[in-house]
């Protein structure tokens, strides 16, 4: 294990740059914080370039068999690297995952995310899509960055469990239709109660921006608009909650 | 409209103290930020003691007929009063709502929250309970403060739409059972798939802490433990998402 003591160490400075999206995209790497996420990454075969621990951190023996370079830093530097208020003592530089091409298969179940902006919402939605056993998630333009620290933490590791791909959603909609997969757009107007859409076999569900919802261009290309009934006085639901309700409603007959 | 220019103004200093739970509980008041929440408060009959606007803020004419004292402050002081990064130019000191006693009625629909700690989660759950048309929400010990700014904002005004009451959850469970309302506790172990519990008429659903779930003492007093099926590899769902899925599943037959 190598030790870094100085703020001006070149590696340390490089890792700190990964707080910015631009640098993450340039290098194809991102930061993972905490033992749980690192464990998920290792189990899923994601490649860790560096693992950085706070001095005296007790690392699990099995991890040490992995091939990555290991560094220790004083608490002060860990604080600079971490994006959380209470760093968990361990952090990794992880390579972005390769994603399979031609993801869309007959009877597949997909989620298309059109412009969800809050990283916490995006992460929670990916966690929900994992829990709901989807075959893939597509991130349209204007959607928060998958590799933002807040997004990654909110996924609770689910980003390693299913394909999550940046994509042109119009193209994806076209591919789904070619495979006879119904494309369901969430909407508050002119939409069918979700309970009448729930017998579908395979689906592509589109959820939209926190304020504006799904773009009209995408709604127009959808097979059907669906909505969640509102029984009270709320105007709408949080987008992560709405996604969860819809994904489970659409799969009521799944065993 | 009165104007405040100085940081040492006594009213201003008092309002700033409302950032702390202790002061909110002592005075029975809390802060509301932004035009949407203030509008919801006015419509629901909540009492606004003071409304504070940034200089040059254009206030809706209809609001000016309301009975509250109106203040203007420079942007610098608005920033101190606000708990958000981008203050919306208007803020109010609102009185906590009186809540009805004996809320539990036959065939009622209730949500019991056992120790949800994140104010954002709590607010989102209250918004979801409103959307799902519940008759009341009960906040057990260890749950985040309803009047925390983050909670209030995340409710998007739903805290004014249905009763939300601090309570001893064991007592509430007892009252529900007296009215023959089934008490359903969320649990990951020894629980029935939610889809087999969905024909109930009236229910009390208990959701629990982000990490620990529902306390065993409360689970033991429940009529039934229910769980959401996990079709993928996620270990669990975010508590707000889980609450939404369950509340809609339990009301599939509602029109």
């Amino acid at each position: 294990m190598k030790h870094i003591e100085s703020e001006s160490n070149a590696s340390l400075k490089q890792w700190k740059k990964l707080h910015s999206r631009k640098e993450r995209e340039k290098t194809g790497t991102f930061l993972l914080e905490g033992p749980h996420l690192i464990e998920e990454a290792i189990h899923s075969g994601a490649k860790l370039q560096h693992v950085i621990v706070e001095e005296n951190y007790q690392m699990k023996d099995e991890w040490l068999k992995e091939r990555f370079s290991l560094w220790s830093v004083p608490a002060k530097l860990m604080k600079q690297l971490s994006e959380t208020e209470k760093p968990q003592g361990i952090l990794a530089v992880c390579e972005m995952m390769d994603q399979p091409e031609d993801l869309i298969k007959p009877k597949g179940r997909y989620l298309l995310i059109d412009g969800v902006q809050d990283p916490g919402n995006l992460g929670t939605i990916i966690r929900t899509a994992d829990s709901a056993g989807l075959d893939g998630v597509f991130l349209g333009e204007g959607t928060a960055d998958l590799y933002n620290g807040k997004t990654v933490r909110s996924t609770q590791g689910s980003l390693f469990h299913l394909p999550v791909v940046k994509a042109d959603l119009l193209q994806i909609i076209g591919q789904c239709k070619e495979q006879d997969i119904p494309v369901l757009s969430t909407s508050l107007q002119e939409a069918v109660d979700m309970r009448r859409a729930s017998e579908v076999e395979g689906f592509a569900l589109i959820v939209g921006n926190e304020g504006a919802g799904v773009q009209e261009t995408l709604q127009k290309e959808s097979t059907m608009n669906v909505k969640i009934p509102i029984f009270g006085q709320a105007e709408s639901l949080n987008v992560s909650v709405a996604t969860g309700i819809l994904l489970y409603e659409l799969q009521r007959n799944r065993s």
Side-chain angles (χ1 to χ4, degrees), chain A:
Chain A
M1 192 178 323
K2 286 166 277 186
H3 184 74
I4 296 177
E5 190 62 44
S6 155
E7 275 186 43
S8 52
N9 176 284
S11 299
L12 187 92
K13 279 160 82 177
Q14 173 55 35
W15 300 331
K16 274 201 275 187
K17 281 194 195 158
L18 294 175
H19 294 170
S20 99
R21 180 173 189 162
K22 203 175 143 194
E23 189 68 18
R24 290 192 293 267
E25 286 175 354
K26 197 176 114 192
T27 58
T29 61
F30 64 104
L31 293 177
L32 271 184
E33 285 201 49
H36 175 68
L37 282 174
I38 292 175
E39 192 155 294
E40 292 286 338
I42 291 175
H43 285 166
S44 73
K47 201 167 158 202
L48 303 181
Q49 293 184 345
H50 304 277
V51 170
I52 304 114
V53 296
E54 206 173 302
E55 289 166 317
N56 305 322
Y57 184 85
Q58 288 297 325
M59 203 158 147
K60 292 195 186 178
D61 288 344
E62 76 220 52
W63 291 4
L64 298 171
K65 294 174 212 143
E66 300 289 326
R67 289 187 200 163
F68 44 68
S69 56
L70 194 55
W71 307 78
S72 73
V73 296
K76 189 187 68 173
L77 296 188
M78 181 53 87
K79 227 172 178 143
Q80 292 181 11
L81 278 172
S82 169
E83 292 176 288
T84 61
E85 277 178 37
K86 289 178 195 159
Q88 297 177 70
I90 183 163
L91 194 143
V93 176
C94 183
E95 289 183 17
M96 292 179 184
M97 290 74 74
D98 288 329
Q99 298 295 0
E101 299 209 359
D102 295 329
L103 254 174
I104 311 287
K105 306 283 179 216
K107 300 190 185 168
R109 300 172 174 105
Y110 307 100
L111 181 67
L112 281 56
I113 303 183
D114 175 33
V116 166
Q117 279 179 325
D118 179 77
N121 278 339
L122 178 60
T124 303
I125 290 173
I126 292 168
R127 179 180 173 192
T128 307
D130 175 16
S131 167
L134 298 198
D135 299 304
V137 175
F138 298 95
L139 310 181
E141 215 185 320
T143 300
D145 181 20
L146 171 61
Y147 298 108
N148 175 301
K150 182 83 198 287
T151 311
V152 171
R153 289 193 301 280
S154 302
T155 69
Q156 300 247 334
S158 287
L159 81 162
F160 299 115
H161 298 161
L162 79 173
V164 183
V165 189
K166 272 169 82 166
D168 176 339
L169 298 188
L170 270 177
Q171 257 177 34
I172 300 294
I173 291 174
Q175 290 174 26
C176 287
K177 285 175 164 178
E178 273 171 33
Q179 304 286 356
D180 285 325
I181 296 171
V183 178
L184 309 174
S185 181
T186 51
S187 171
L188 293 171
Q189 295 122 13
E190 290 184 52
V192 171
D193 185 312
M194 63 173 185
R195 294 172 289 181
R196 284 199 275 150
S198 67
E199 302 296 319
V200 291
E201 223 189 357
F203 58 84
L205 176 70
I206 318 180
V207 298
N209 173 271
E210 288 88 345
V214 176
Q215 285 175 65
E216 232 181 272
T217 345
L218 300 182
Q219 283 193 33
K220 272 187 196 152
E221 295 300 318
S222 301
T223 319
M224 188 194 269
N225 282 352
V226 292
K227 69 175 175 194
I228 298 172
I230 304 270
F231 299 123
Q233 297 171 63
E235 283 164 26
S236 63
L237 283 153
N238 165 282
V239 64
S240 325
V241 175
T243 305
I245 294 171
L246 285 159
L247 289 180
Y248 274 88
E249 177 60 28
L250 292 170
Q251 301 193 86
R252 278 202 93 236
N253 298 322
R254 184 166 178 178
S255 49

